[in-house]
Structures are given as structure tokens and as C-alpha cells.
Amino acid sequence: MSMEEAETQTVRCGLPAFGGLDGLDEPGLRLGEDDLAWWRDAKFGLFIHWGVYSGIGRGEWAYHNDKYAEEDYRNIAENFSPSRNAEAIVSGWLDAAQAAGMKYAVMVARHHDGFALWDSSASYKNFTSAKLGPRMDYVAAFTRACHERNVYAGLYYSPMDWRFPGYFDPQGKPESALLMKQQAYGQIEELCTNYGKIDILWYDGGWLAHKGRDADAAWLWEPLKLNKLARCYQPKMLINPRSGFKGDFQCDEGGHEVIGGIVPFAWEKNMSLSAAWAYRPEDTFLSSSQVIRMLVNVIIRGGNLLLNIGPDGEGHIPSAAAAVLRETGEWLGENGEAVYGTRAGIYEPVDGIYGSTCKGSTVYVHILDRGAFANLILPPTEKRILAARTLNGEGVAFTQDKNGVRLELPPEPGDKKQVVTVVHLITEG
Ligand code: GLC
């Protein structure tokens, strides 16, 4: 099987694909497990793709895909002028995140188009929201609002920038490539020093000429050097693997379903609520049931879910997307105990049927398919089960012997089918 075939197969059957595992590493640069605890507890975050491209409405790759001349795109940026101020815009995003039960948010501070959403003196040709268009510092408003609300603050940053011919031909145009690199180092330094505590640095686009893997481009970016600089200012900040450095957690990108066992390292699924990352007026959204099932499938395998929305040019989250987030939050309002602060286990997931999380002496069995679950026995465990009950405290009959544990769920009320049924097992000790 070729590499490509193997990759397609992984995607089709939904095993998480972790492209960052071959990233560069150095002892002491990655955080220890203790420093990841808050993030593992948090489970669910909001990803926000918003910028000049949101006003165009053809996704965040518009500049490149539609082959804009640099001056034309700059004109669009100059005319990009949302009517509300930065505080109002970011507070709409964080309201939506909190209504969804999300504990962290990652804002795109600068995408591949090069437009920085903060007052960046390192920006090549002053291509920033502070000097053009709205004349606002959105990163300042976002980080301030996160700090005020106790939402962990994450920033997405793309080292590469389509405005540099050296990105497309780094060997042939080394001066331009170096200028782009200089911008990245300067901007990472600004993001890590000017906005208080940053909890997550989320890179994307650490590759070159849209080819190869992030690690292949390390000769230019020197990701260990770049991230040492970042760590120097933000020693406890989680760093994702997309700069060519292995990072503190791994990413599985895209909306494919996840299957397989508990992943033995920290990981995050990042996916969008719609088909694109940034706003396109025609896009529709996943339903809250799909989001909830995805979240459960991720956490029973030890991961986090970073769910993306693309606000429109005015910074508004489309109302249908906001409704999905609210409904997801309602489910979490009832079932949060089985999600936040838990770890995957004690049972290995059975694809499409169930999996579990645990906290202290409680095991939460997340049942995705009640019909199929009825014919199963949970594997034997040393832990003696003292009680089993549903979320609303209703007892669940169970038997435990050397073959395992059988749960007998009460009949499901026909009018109130649950997306996922969670059974709490209270164990001894
Ligand atoms: C992909 C897309 C990029 C998007 C990112 C989010 O790399 O190309 O546009 O921002 O995924 O993870």
C-alpha cells in the first residue's frame, strides 16, 4: 500500500491521523503532563476563523484561490470595516462559546493571507487591522475578554504568508523567504509579550510552497528556536504541532468520525461546524446531535474537541450555528459531570456503541447505541461496582461477575430519545 493509500484508508475508517508526530523535539521544550491538566479537563473549545476573507465570503483561502493581486486584496482590507467595535464582536464569540459549554477559545490572529488582527509592528507593509480598515486590535479585545471571563485564551498563527514570493520558492528567492521568517519571529514575540497570559499557541501552515509536511520546512523556520522564544515569554503555554515542532498535543483535523482505542498521548480534534473554516453565506451546519456524538467519541478516546465557526464579515456568528452551539451547551449543562475534568477509561471504546470516562471512583459509560449495547457485557474489572444510575439518579440494574458487568437500562422514553445515554457507575474506593 502506498503512503497515500494508507492515508486515505485511515481517513475513511476514521482512525485519528496525527501528522505532527514526526515533528522536531528537544528535551525540556515540551510541557509536562501536569501542565496539560487544565486543558485535558477543559475538553471543549471554540475555534474562530475571521478576517478580511470573511467579508469576501469564499473561505479563508480566497486570496490564493481567487488569485488576487496584492494591491487588490489590500484595498479589500482597507474597506473591511465591521460596524461594531472589537469588544462587541469578540464578546459575541465568547458568549457563544460559553453558551456551548466551551472552556477555551482559539482565535485566528493571522491566517495565510498575512492580515494581522492586531497592532503588529513586525507586519510586513503594515498589513494589520490596526493600520488598515477597521483600525482596531482584535487580539487585544479577545485576550482581554478571555481573561475577564476565565476562558482560556488561544491564538492561531500561520508563519507562512502568501504575499511573499519566497514562500512559493524559498530556494530561488531566499531573501523574500527570510523576510517572511523574520515577520513570523517578530509577530510570535508580539503575541507572546503584548497580551498577558496566552494559554495556547496554535500554529498552522508551517510548511513551504504548499508541499510536504511541516517538519520538511524546518530548515527554514527553525521551529525549535521559534518555540524556545515563545516559551521564554509564556513558559506554560500549550503549543500545537503545526510549526514543525512536535508540540504538547497532537492534532487530528477534519470532520471524519473517530474510531479506535484510547489514544496514549494528548490530542485534539479540530473541525468546523460547516464545510469551510471561514464564512461562506451558502454554508449549512452540523446538528447539535452530530456535535455531541463527536465530542463523546473524542473524549472517550482521551481527546479534546476544538470546534470551529466562521463569523460573517460583520463578526456575527450565523444564527443557525449559534443555535447548534446553544443546544450542545444544554446537553453539557446536564451531562457536564461526565465530560469536564474526566479522563478516558476505564473501558476501551467499542466503535459506535460505547466508551467511558472516569473521575475519582466514578466511571461514566457513554452509550451511543442503546440497542447494540443491550447485547454487550462490559469487560471484567477489579473495581467493585456499588451502584449504577442514570443522570437523573434513576437506578440501573446491574450484575457483576468474573465475566464482566451487565447493565440493564430502563426503557428509553420514546418522546425523549437521548443523543447519548450516560450511566454513572459508582465503584468502591
Ligand atoms: C487547514 C486549512 C486552513 C485552516 C486550518 C485549520 O490547514 O488549510 O485554512 O485554517 O486547516 O486547522
Side-chain angles (χ1 to χ4, degrees):
M1 199 188 296
S2 72
M3 271 274 283
E4 227 163 57
E5 279 164 346
E7 214 162 71
T8 340
Q9 195 136 30
T10 332
V11 170
R12 210 180 314 121
C13 71
L15 279 176
F18 301 114
L21 282 173
D22 59 358
L24 305 192
D25 199 7
E26 191 179 285
L29 193 55
R30 274 190 291 135
L31 296 178
E33 195 50 49
D34 282 357
D35 296 321
L36 297 184
W38 70 262
W39 182 82
R40 285 186 179 271
D41 288 348
K43 297 287 188 277
F44 196 24
L46 184 68
F47 203 5
I48 306 137
H49 276 70
W50 185 74
V52 169
Y53 45 76
S54 312
I56 301 175
R58 286 195 298 276
E60 77 286 358
W61 276 60
Y63 178 35
H64 180 72
N65 289 347
D66 298 348
K67 303 190 173 50
Y68 279 98
E70 196 185 323
E71 315 77 69
D72 293 343
Y73 198 78
R74 195 176 173 95
N75 275 334
I76 297 180
E78 182 61 294
N79 290 314
F80 176 60
S81 55
S83 50
R84 295 175 303 155
N85 66 20
E87 282 68 28
I89 290 178
V90 302
S91 90
W93 302 344
L94 294 180
D95 285 347
Q98 291 184 296
M102 291 158 162
K103 307 291 184 197
Y104 61 101
V106 179
M107 168 193 164
V108 171
R110 178 168 90 52
H111 208 270
H112 313 331
D113 63 355
F115 188 72
L117 290 165
W118 75 98
D119 192 3
S120 171
S121 3
S123 170
Y124 175 64
K125 299 189 187 164
N126 286 318
F127 198 44
T128 77
S129 62
K131 297 280 176 342
L132 289 173
R135 301 197 161 56
M136 301 222 177
D137 187 327
Y138 295 98
V139 170
F142 172 77
T143 46
R144 205 180 307 121
C146 286
H147 296 147
E148 277 165 17
R149 296 172 183 236
N150 290 323
V151 171
Y152 293 99
L155 296 175
Y156 163 114
Y157 180 78
S158 158
M160 59 149 287
D161 180 332
W162 286 315
R163 295 176 301 151
F164 293 87
Y167 164 71
F168 296 95
D169 183 9
Q171 256 111 7
K173 301 189 171 75
E175 276 161 29
S176 164
L178 282 175
L179 215 52
M180 172 175 72
K181 176 181 179 183
Q182 196 183 327
Q183 172 182 260
Y185 276 67
Q187 292 194 320
I188 286 295
E189 189 161 15
E190 289 171 357
L191 292 175
C192 291
T193 49
N194 293 345
Y195 300 101
K197 188 160 177 281
I198 304 299
D199 300 295
I200 304 166
L201 178 56
W202 214 104
Y203 289 106
D204 177 35
W207 71 107
L208 285 169
H210 299 156
K211 279 203 286 272
R213 302 153 312 154
D214 296 330
D216 297 333
W219 65 268
L220 174 73
W221 297 116
E222 298 185 90
L224 296 179
K225 187 170 155 197
L226 178 62
N227 287 298
K228 268 186 223 163
L229 174 79
R231 273 266 186 276
C232 175
Y233 301 117
Q234 301 281 347
K236 299 292 180 190
M237 174 176 73
L238 272 68
I239 301 179
N240 85 337
R242 295 256 188 96
S243 62
F245 158 52
K246 189 171 181 187
D248 299 307
F249 59 90
Q250 296 304 311
C251 295
D252 173 45
E253 176 164 302
H256 52 272
E257 224 188 290
V258 274
I259 60 166
I262 298 174
V263 175
F265 43 80
W267 70 283
E268 182 185 64
K269 173 162 211 60
N270 63 293
M271 60 179 279
S272 194
L273 198 53
S274 56
W277 295 97
Y279 180 70
R280 294 189 307 195
E282 69 276 21
D283 276 346
T284 55
F285 306 99
L286 297 178
S287 68
S288 54
S289 310
Q290 287 171 306
V291 172
I292 294 162
R293 290 176 73 88
M294 180 61 84
L295 176 65
V296 165
N297 270 317
V298 166
I299 65 169
I300 61 180
R301 294 173 173 85
N304 276 17
L305 177 62
L306 182 64
L307 183 66
N308 177 73
I309 46 115
D312 65 17
E314 282 286 315
H316 288 293
I317 298 176
S319 57
V324 172
L325 295 180
R326 264 196 316 277
E327 287 160 22
T328 306
E330 280 159 22
W331 185 85
L332 276 163
E334 291 178 356
N335 293 279
E337 184 192 331
V339 177
Y340 306 119
T342 63
R343 295 294 178 269
I346 54 174
Y347 299 113
E348 278 290 337
V350 175
D351 295 338
I353 306 181
Y354 79 93
S356 72
T357 54
C358 54
K359 182 165 41 185
S361 52
T362 306
V363 180
Y364 304 95
V365 185
H366 298 251
I367 302 163
L368 295 147
D369 181 340
R370 281 174 78 135
F373 184 80
N375 306 315
L376 292 183
I377 301 184
L378 296 173
T381 157
E382 306 270 275
K383 290 174 184 268
R384 200 163 73 84
I385 295 167
L386 304 176
R389 51 179 182 250
T390 59
L391 168 75
N392 46 25
E394 215 182 326
V396 173
F398 68 96
T399 48
Q400 179 171 31
D401 58 28
K402 64 176 188 343
N403 298 319
V405 179
R406 184 185 286 281
L407 298 177
E408 270 172 57
L409 296 181
E412 191 174 18
D415 58 330
K416 211 177 167 252
K417 278 220 179 312
Q418 284 167 313
V419 194
V420 179
T421 302
V422 184
V423 177
H424 303 199
L425 304 180
I426 320 297
T427 68
E428 202 171 43

